[in-house]
Amino acid sequence: MHKNWWKEEVIYQIYPRSFKDSNGDGIGDLQGIISKLDYLKELGVDIIWISPFYKSPNDDNGYDISDYRAIGEEYGSMEDFDELLHGIHQRGMKLIMDLVVNHTSDEHEWFVESKKSKDNPYRDYYFWRDGKDGKEPTNWPSFFSGNAWEHDPNTDQYYMHLFTKKQPDLNWENPKVREEVYDIVQFWLDKGIDGFRLDVIPLISKTFPLASTEIPVFNDIVENVYSNGPRVHEFINEMYTRVLSKYDIMTVGEGPGINKDVANLYVGKDRGELNMIFHLDHMFLGHGTKGKFDPYEYGWKEIKILFNDWEHSIGDDGWISIFLDNHDFPRLVSRFGNDDQYRIESAKALALMIFTLRGTPCIYQGSEIGMTNVAFETIDDYRDVETLNFYKDHTAFDYSNEKRIALIHEHGRDNARTTMQWDDSVHGGFSSQNSWIKPNPNYRDINVQKAISDPDSIFHWYKKIIAYRKTHLGLTYGNFTALNKADQPIYIYKREWENESYLVVINHSNEKQSFDIPTDGYKLELINQRFIDSKVLQAWEARLYYKA
Ligand code: TEU
Ligand code: CA
C-alpha cells in the first residue's frame, strides 16, 4: 500500500457563501473564513476545500466562472486570498480549490467572443450546432431541468450546456482550450495552493457524433452519454503530465458517472491522472428515472452493499474519499440518520463510519455540529437554481406545488446551504444582518458555541475520532472486510494492517439490536453513547474496538 499524506489527512469542505460573513453584507467571504481558521484547527482537520469564490454571476453560486484569475468581489480581494492561504499554511493546514473547467459562465470573455459570430476565433471554445428539424441538436436533458442546448438567435445555432444555460460546456477537443486550462491550473499552483477538487471531471470528453439518446433514466444518461468519454483519460493525463505532476499536491475528482468498475482508470496509482475521487453512487441512491425529484425508496442494505463493493473494487491500486454530504445534497444526519429523536447519536454513528471506512474522510461544514435539513414554507425562501428550475418545470413534472415543496424539503441542495450556525444570536452568528439565504431556525439550539461548551457534543466526538485516526494508521491503510450481511440492521466491519485490527459496529436503526459481536481479544476504544450491554446495541449505538 502506497503511503501518501492525502490518504492520512481529513478534508473539510467550506461553501464560502454560507460559512461566515465578515463585512455585514449577508454573504460569506474570505475574511470570514480567516476568522474561523482557529476553529478548524481545533477540530483537527487538515485539508480545507473551499467551493468556488472566483469572479462569477452566481447563477450556480460560483460554479459558473467568468474570470478564473479573479476573486469574486463579494468574497474579497486577491490580498484577502493571500492572507487566507498564509493563515491556513501557518496553522499547518492545506488549501485545495475547486477547478470548474467542464464549463464556464456565459459571461466569461471566451463565451462573449464565441457567440459573436460563427467565424469568431473563440467559436470553437464551446459546442455550437445547428438545430435539427427545428429543434435542439439532441434530446439531452440538462442536470437542471430542460434541454441541454440553448438557441442563440444571433447566429441561429445552439450551444451545449449540461447544467444551466449560463454554464456553456467547454470544448476540450480544442487544444487551445486545454492550454488555457493548464495556464489557470499553473497560476493557482504557483500561488502555493495544495491541490484541486475537479468539478464533474468525467464530463470533459464528449462522445461524437453528438446524438440523441433513447436511454430513459437520467443517471444512466449521465454515466453512459455524458461521462467517461473516449478521451477523458487522455485529457486528464495530459493535465497531469503538463502541470499537476510538477507539484506535491492533491487532486480529487468529483465523479458523477464514475462507477466502481471504471474508477481505477481515474485513480489507479500508476495512471498519472487523479489521486482520488468523490464518487456519487451512494449520493445518487434514490434518484429515480427523472433524477432526484423523481425519487424511489432505498435503505441501509443498498448503502452497505454499495460501500462494500466500492471498498473491494478500489483495492490497493486506487483511492476514494469517504463522505455522506456536501453542498449538493441533503444534510447527512437528515438523510442517512435520524435528525429528530436520535440526532446526536445518529450524527456520531455516521461520523464513526466516515472516519473508519477506507478512504480520505471529508466533512461538510456544519455536519460536525449536526446541522440538519431545513423546511422553508415557500419557494421564495429557496435560492438554488436546480431547485428553482425544478419548481417551474411543468414539462418533465406534473406535480402540485405542495408536492414540489415537499420534494425540495427532502432533496433540495439548499438544505446544505443555509448559513453556518456559530451561536444563538440573531442570524446565528453568521452575519450582522439578513443574509442571502435564511438560517435554519434551529440555530438557537444547534450552534458551534453550544457544541464547544458541551463535552458530549457531536463536535467533540468528531474532534476525538479525528485525533484517534491520526495515531492509528491502520484506519488509513488497513484493508476492509464486511463481517455481516447487508440486510441486517447493523453494520459490522474490520480494518486490519500490520499488527493492528479494528472492529467497527454500528446500529443504524432506531431500535435496540441484540447481536453476537466477535469481540474476543478486542478492547472497546470508542463508543458514541453510554455503554449498557455488550450484546445489545442501543438505537444508533456505534462502537470501535481495537486489538494490537
Ligand atoms: O455537481 C455535479 C453534480 O453531479 C451535482 O450537480 C449533482 O449531480 C446534482 O447536484 C444532483 O442533483 C457539481 C457541483 O458540485 C455542483 O454544485 C454544480 O452545480 C455542478 O457541478 C455544475 O458545476
Ligand atoms: Ca460578506
Side-chain angles (χ1 to χ4, degrees), residues 30 48 136 181 224 240 309 329 351 356 403 449:
L30 301 189
I48 300 172
E136 295 86 1
V181 170
N224 300 297
Y240 176 79
D309 288 352
F329 295 96
T356 56
K403 178 168 180 173
Q449 185 180 54

Side-chain angles (χ1 to χ4, degrees), residues 494-510:
K494 224 162 46 168
R495 302 288 313 279
E496 293 180 304
W497 185 63
E498 296 180 356
N499 67 331
E500 297 179 20
S501 178
Y502 302 85
L503 182 66
V504 179
V505 188
I506 297 171
N507 172 4
H508 48 71
S509 80
N510 297 328

Side-chain angles (χ1 to χ4, degrees), residues 1-8 269 473 476-477 497-498:
M1 162 61 76
H2 260 53
K3 284 196 163 188
N4 306 88
W5 58 264
W6 36 264
K7 290 179 179 169
E8 300 178 18
K269 55 178 171 289
L473 281 183
T476 295
Y477 295 111
W497 185 63
E498 296 180 356

Side-chain angles (χ1 to χ4, degrees), residues 341-352:
Q341 190 182 355
Y342 295 107
R343 183 179 68 86
I344 294 174
E345 295 85 348
S346 66
K348 289 180 176 178
L350 294 168
L352 188 66

Side-chain angles (χ1 to χ4, degrees), residues 45-323:
V45 298
D46 308 283
I47 302 161
I48 300 172
W49 155 32
I50 306 180
S51 281
F53 48 86
Y54 311 95
K55 190 167 173 358
S56 162
N58 292 306
D59 189 55
D60 186 14
N61 282 352
Y63 282 92
D64 50 319
I65 297 165
S66 53
D67 185 341
Y68 288 88
R69 294 178 180 80
I71 307 296
E73 47 276 6
E74 70 270 39
Y75 294 116
S77 64
M78 191 55 89
E79 290 69 34
D80 293 322
F81 171 80
D82 293 337
E83 186 185 340
L84 170 65
L85 183 61
H86 178 68
I88 288 173
H89 284 165
Q90 216 180 8
R91 292 168 175 80
M93 297 189 285
K94 298 180 178 79
L95 170 65
I96 66 172
M97 287 174 69
D98 221 315
L99 185 67
V100 186
V101 287
N102 170 70
H103 48 272
T104 70
S105 164
D106 67 341
E107 297 180 27
H108 193 289
E109 60 186 4
W110 300 337
F111 190 76
V112 171
E113 283 301 316
S114 180
K115 66 187 281 193
K116 276 181 183 167
S117 66
K118 289 183 182 176
D119 56 3
N120 184 287
Y122 287 88
R123 190 71 173 179
D124 255 0
Y125 271 45
Y126 298 89
F127 294 100
W128 291 94
R129 292 290 188 280
D130 293 333
K132 202 170 170 197
D133 313 329
K135 293 173 63 180
E136 295 86 1
T138 71
N139 65 352
W140 295 0
S142 157
F143 275 81
F144 297 155
S145 294
N147 183 283
W149 295 90
E150 178 71 10
H151 184 249
D152 168 46
N154 180 38
T155 58
D156 191 24
Q157 282 198 311
Y158 292 79
Y159 65 86
M160 182 199 295
H161 62 85
L162 296 181
F163 294 92
T164 76
K165 65 184 180 187
K166 284 183 70 62
Q167 293 171 289
D169 281 59
L170 276 171
N171 171 13
W172 274 70
E173 306 296 320
N174 182 343
K176 292 193 197 103
V177 166
R178 303 204 299 271
E179 290 304 324
E180 300 269 16
V181 170
Y182 304 156
D183 279 353
I184 291 162
V185 170
Q186 170 125 15
F187 173 83
W188 289 103
L189 291 175
D190 286 344
K191 287 196 70 75
I193 69 170
D194 304 285
F196 291 100
R197 176 262 192 185
L198 291 89
D199 187 63
V200 297
I201 197 69
L203 276 55
I204 60 174
S205 163
K206 303 336 185 187
T207 303
F208 299 96
L210 302 175
S212 288
T213 176
E214 297 311 310
I215 298 174
V217 178
F218 181 66
N219 279 346
D220 294 344
I221 295 174
V222 173
E223 188 167 326
N224 300 297
V225 179
Y226 299 165
S227 300
N228 312 308
R231 299 182 69 186
V232 71
H233 299 293
E234 175 198 338
F235 292 158
I236 298 173
N237 178 258
E238 186 181 66
M239 185 194 297
Y240 176 79
T241 310
R242 289 286 307 281
V243 60
L244 299 173
S245 58
K246 297 179 167 56
Y247 301 79
D248 176 20
I249 55 156
M250 165 198 145
T251 53
V252 49
E254 186 214 16
I258 298 182
N259 65 42
K260 60 181 174 23
D261 302 323
V262 301
N264 279 355
L265 294 176
Y266 288 88
V267 293
K269 55 178 171 289
D270 302 326
R271 292 282 303 171
E273 293 191 32
L274 303 172
N275 295 135
M276 69 182 90
I277 50 168
F278 290 129
H279 78 78
L280 295 174
D281 270 4
H282 57 309
M283 305 308 279
F284 283 177
L285 276 175
H287 291 194
T289 303
K290 291 188 273 190
K292 65 170 61 172
F293 296 117
D294 174 21
Y296 65 80
E297 287 301 308
Y298 67 94
W300 271 92
K301 177 183 171 191
E302 290 77 18
I303 296 167
K304 290 183 286 185
I305 288 170
L306 221 152
F307 272 109
N308 297 346
D309 288 352
W310 267 91
E311 296 284 12
H312 293 126
S313 61
I314 288 290
D316 280 351
D317 185 31
W319 198 252
I320 57 173
S321 171
I322 303 289
F323 67 102

